[in-house]
Amino acid sequence: RQERRRRQCMRRREGARCAAWRRRWGEGKVQGRGVQAIPFSAPPSTLPADMVGYVGFDPLGFSTLVDIRLLRESELKHGRAAMLAAAGAIAQDLFTFPGVEKVVGKAKMTGAHDALIAGAHAGNKQSFAMHQIIFWVGLIEIITLPAIFEMLNGSPRKPGDFSFDPLGLNKKSDGRMELAEIKNGRLAMIGIGGMIHHYLLTGKGPIQFLTGIPNYKSCIEPHLGALCK
């Protein structure tokens, strides 16, 4: 009943009786309040219950060893990378950019990575695309380090906040966009792990794999050889 009332309030955005719901949502405290993810095991006291996306889950006690702000920064960064990776893995099954097959053939995902590295070692200049990705990703990591150090030294910056919002999606945010990013990032990390696992076993991208169920033996790919036979 409370969840239904909260949704009604968020849709209407009016009325004094809804003000408390809006404040609690805006602070990111609604979803995980009172949650005990692991039965008979309370979460560590170092895990803030008012953090957006809190569900009381820290079975290995990472929050007792590392600053929670750094952990959240890492979670957001990995979640964002995983969302891009999952979208890219699916895109490979839907269309192919011109010239890609000349470099990596029909390989995808980890197979495409291996083909690019092998091509670079063979002297194919087009295969150095993988090196460019590593360079630019590494450069972004270096550029963003000062903001993280400032946060750990007491600045008011929130973890993952780089003031990058070109579409203005978070200008009137009441916490829902932050929660959506956390939840989609967590899902994407699990999802891309499953996609890679299926590719290593079958040689198929996610769409190919799903459309081929239950015919798992139709996965013969030249770069995998006997693995798919």
Side-chain angles (χ1 to χ4, degrees):
R1 188 192 314 176
Q2 289 182 344
E3 178 63 16
R4 186 167 61 251
R5 282 184 57 202
R6 181 191 64 76
R7 290 182 180 178
Q8 291 174 350
C9 290
M10 295 310 298
R11 283 198 297 268
R12 295 173 185 170
R13 293 179 176 275
E14 59 185 10
R17 67 187 183 88
C18 294
W21 284 110
R22 289 199 298 270
R23 284 197 302 271
R24 288 174 62 195
W25 183 276
E27 295 168 358
K29 298 179 181 179
V30 171
Q31 183 194 15
R33 177 169 288 182
V35 170
Q36 187 171 353
I38 304 176
F40 313 110
S41 177
S45 59
T46 50
L47 192 63
D50 62 348
M51 180 174 282
V52 176
Y54 172 85
V55 289
F57 185 79
D58 186 16
L60 300 180
F62 286 121
S63 62
T64 64
L65 303 173
V66 183
D67 192 308
I68 190 64
R69 294 170 298 177
L70 188 59
L71 292 175
R72 172 48 60 92
E73 185 84 31
S74 178
E75 180 181 31
L76 283 168
K77 186 172 292 186
H78 283 83
R80 290 165 180 171
M83 286 188 279
L84 291 172
I90 294 172
Q92 290 180 100
D93 282 351
L94 300 178
F95 63 91
T96 303
F97 287 105
V100 171
E101 289 190 356
K102 294 180 180 179
V103 181
V104 300
K106 294 186 178 298
K108 300 177 180 180
M109 301 181 74
T110 57
H113 167 273
D114 295 342
L116 286 169
I117 297 300
H121 287 170
N124 185 345
K125 294 183 179 180
Q126 292 179 314
S127 295
F128 281 92
M130 181 61 63
H131 297 72
Q132 291 183 48
I133 293 174
I134 295 174
F135 171 78
W136 288 112
V137 170
L139 183 61
I140 292 173
E141 286 289 308
I142 294 172
I143 292 174
T144 56
L145 275 177
I148 298 174
F149 284 131
E150 286 182 8
M151 176 190 68
L152 295 176
N153 288 326
S155 78
R157 172 187 178 269
K158 290 184 178 180
D161 183 10
F162 293 101
S163 300
F164 181 77
D165 186 15
L167 299 180
L169 298 177
N170 205 38
K171 285 184 178 179
K172 297 182 180 180
S173 174
D174 50 14
R176 286 179 294 177
M177 295 301 292
E178 293 181 43
L179 182 60
E181 182 181 34
I182 287 290
K183 295 180 73 173
N184 281 282
R186 290 169 178 172
L187 178 62
M189 285 187 278
I190 297 173
I192 190 61
M195 293 177 195
I196 293 174
H197 177 76
H198 288 154
Y199 181 80
L200 293 174
L201 292 178
T202 68
K204 288 188 171 185
I207 302 299
Q208 283 183 314
F209 178 79
L210 290 174
T211 54
I213 292 176
N215 185 18
Y216 296 110
K217 294 183 179 180
S218 63
C219 63
I220 298 176
E221 292 285 351
H223 64 284
L224 290 178
L227 179 62
C228 289
K229 295 180 180 179

